Amino acid sequence: MKRAILSCNGLDKPEGSVAREVAIRGAEATGAEIICPVLLNRAPARYRKALADSAVTVVDGCSTRCATRLASQLKANVERKVLVSDAVKGSGQALESTLALGPNGVALARRIVEELVRNLSAPAVAGEPAAEFETPVEYLAVTHDKFEFRIPVVDYLFNENDVWVRASDGVARVGISDYMQQKLTDVSYFDPPKVDSGVEQFGELGSLESAKAVFEIISPVGGNVTAVNRAAIDNPALVNEDPYGAGWLVEVKLTHWPEDQELLVDAAAYAGIVQRKAAEE
Amino acid sequence: MAETTFMGVPRDQIPWFPTIDYDKCTFCMECDTFCPHHVFERREGDRPLAIANPANCVVFCRACAKTCGPDALSFPGKPETIARIKQIREGASSK
Ligand code: SF4
Ligand code: SF4
């Protein structure tokens, strides 16, 4: 598949200048086509083909994430994402405050591109799913207006942040509820947590994005990430199609399951929570 | 919404909501546009944004901070918040 890079043009912030540099160097290193956001806005037809045929790397300068929003509006097939302001924090070295790139900015852009190239040639480790779970058969339904939100009756527990967990033999599978899936609308990107990283209960397990929102996946359990759902990374629509089954997100090896359960709710209690949330919207 | 609870604890006893750093905020209003829960409120004057309804904020959500370019929004730590929730729950059940 062809590649393209859609980047923030970054003319008003130092992070933006780095984003632009990442796009240029990234395109050179990977042979990707650069999609200019300004021209894209002005004359979308210019990039229709590139967007239809390519796996897109999206580079945002700051958390306003203009490039990400453009990508989701256009339903681009997003393969990788870079957020420069996060990379700055992670690098422990401040950027120069000038818009023209200084040595720190150039060094950061170079490092980001090196990592990008590494990532693109060796896809992120997904780990091996440990558990086989059957699709739930019986659901509770919460209705509100013309919407219906389904909640599996057995085996699933929930936190109040709309994330479910299902455990078997010390391993838990995690995903988002039907209610949250509908609230997000079409999920366009699943940014998974690192396999082998530790997570605390209510810590973050990556995020999901749609044109409407960024949703932090709030972990219902504590433990170690053993696998992420490769299929959901490649095809985030699975999260909408089958949120309790094929659209699962992460597997976690449990370390505090008995305690974790004290802060989770069952289907009936979660139904009450969904009812309340839907009514409040 | 005084009766709203989170994990069985009255919501207004859980100190989870964003704090605006007015030295960094540019009043772009991205956060307010993003958040559907009316936590923020636009005002007249030279500080046109405020946290008006902290108890509306979804406990453990930090989504608005991810829309804030200048990184002007901060939240309490999760471990402290969980400890606080557990403490209140234990207090309530031992009564
Ligand atoms: S998104 Fe950030 S900078 Fe913009 S108004 Fe909100 S707090 Fe201020
Ligand atoms: S953390 Fe979430 S619920 Fe709270 S103000 Fe921000 S977006 Fe709204």
Side-chain angles (χ1 to χ4, degrees):
Chain A
M1 188 162 210
K2 284 195 224 149
R3 292 212 151 102
I5 297 187
L6 171 59
S7 146
C8 142
N9 249 10
L11 295 176
D12 71 340
K13 288 193 190 76
E15 288 83 358
S17 301
V18 175
R20 187 174 178 280
E21 187 73 13
V22 167
I24 295 168
R25 288 174 182 260
E28 270 169 14
T30 63
E33 174 177 1
I34 290 186
I35 299 179
C36 165
V38 183
L39 185 54
L40 177 65
N41 224 359
R42 189 73 202 91
R46 163 70 182 75
Y47 293 115
R48 197 161 290 143
K49 191 157 177 352
L51 280 169
D53 297 349
S54 317
V56 180
T57 295
V58 173
V59 187
D60 285 303
C62 72
S63 319
T64 307
R65 297 177 192 237
C66 303
T68 291
R69 288 177 202 198
L70 276 172
S72 20
Q73 267 167 26
L74 295 159
K75 303 204 185 312
N77 165 19
V78 177
E79 169 182 43
R80 282 285 184 282
K81 295 196 20 169
V82 173
L83 177 58
V84 173
S85 56
D86 267 6
V88 174
K89 274 182 222 153
S91 77
Q93 191 169 42
L95 278 186
E96 290 85 359
S97 57
T98 51
L99 290 178
L101 281 179
N104 290 356
V106 174
L108 180 66
R110 191 177 290 147
R111 274 202 307 278
I112 291 174
V113 170
E114 278 166 12
E115 199 187 321
L116 188 65
V117 171
R118 253 200 318 276
N119 275 335
L120 288 174
S121 48
V125 190
E128 276 303 312
E132 270 302 321
F133 290 101
E134 287 180 12
T135 317
V137 281
E138 202 188 332
Y139 292 94
L140 289 177
V142 175
T143 49
H144 183 77
D145 291 344
K146 55 187 192 313
F147 296 100
E148 181 181 278
F149 309 113
R150 303 203 304 167
I151 302 167
V153 177
V154 289
D155 299 332
Y156 289 69
L157 293 176
F158 302 81
N159 65 19
E160 290 198 30
N161 302 92
D162 306 295
V163 180
W164 57 257
V165 55
R166 179 171 186 177
S168 155
D169 285 340
V171 177
R173 201 167 258 194
V174 171
I176 66 168
S177 71
D178 184 33
Y179 166 72
M180 183 41 74
Q181 164 284 110
Q182 293 190 42
K183 205 168 132 165
L184 279 170
T185 67
D186 295 342
V187 174
S188 54
Y189 189 71
F190 167 33
D191 184 14
K194 280 210 173 68
V195 170
D196 280 342
S197 63
V199 64
E200 311 233 344
Q201 191 181 27
F202 301 107
E204 207 183 315
L205 278 179
S207 61
L208 293 171
E209 288 185 26
S210 69
K212 250 177 107 180
V214 182
F215 177 74
E216 251 182 43
I217 301 155
I218 306 219
S219 185
V221 295
N224 287 299
V225 176
T226 49
V228 296
N229 187 358
R230 183 82 242 171
I233 297 173
D234 293 340
N235 176 20
L238 277 180
V239 178
N240 299 106
E241 284 158 18
D242 189 8
Y244 297 114
W248 67 275
L249 300 170
V250 183
E251 274 187 10
V252 177
K253 189 163 190 331
L254 296 163
T255 47
H256 297 81
W257 184 227
E259 294 96 306
D260 289 349
Q261 289 175 72
E262 288 171 25
L263 298 179
L264 300 173
V265 297
D266 64 10
Y270 182 62
I273 292 168
V274 168
Q275 192 88 63
R276 190 192 79 212
K277 287 189 185 189
E280 275 172 13
E281 266 165 30
Chain B
M1 303 213 306
E3 75 281 13
T4 310
T5 58
F6 184 83
M7 294 177 178
V9 173
R11 174 63 187 86
D12 52 14
Q13 292 187 27
I14 307 171
W16 183 273
F17 48 84
T19 300
I20 305 169
D21 180 343
Y22 286 106
D23 290 335
K24 291 186 183 164
C25 177
T26 59
F27 304 109
C28 67
M29 305 299 172
E30 281 290 340
C31 53
D32 182 47
T33 308
F34 173 82
C35 176
H37 303 288
H38 309 289
V39 174
F40 300 92
E41 192 172 87
R42 302 183 192 208
R43 300 203 167 146
E44 301 286 308
D46 50 353
R47 275 192 181 178
L49 183 73
I51 305 295
N53 301 299
N56 281 7
C57 179
V58 177
V59 180
F60 301 130
C61 178
R62 282 193 297 216
C64 52
K66 301 208 159 179
T67 68
C68 175
D71 205 7
L73 294 171
S74 59
F75 287 87
K78 284 189 182 176
E80 295 94 281
T81 308
I82 294 165
R84 177 92 190 105
I85 291 170
K86 285 189 174 164
Q87 198 187 23
I88 299 173
R89 283 164 62 106
E90 275 154 28
S93 61
S94 64
K95 253 180 232 163

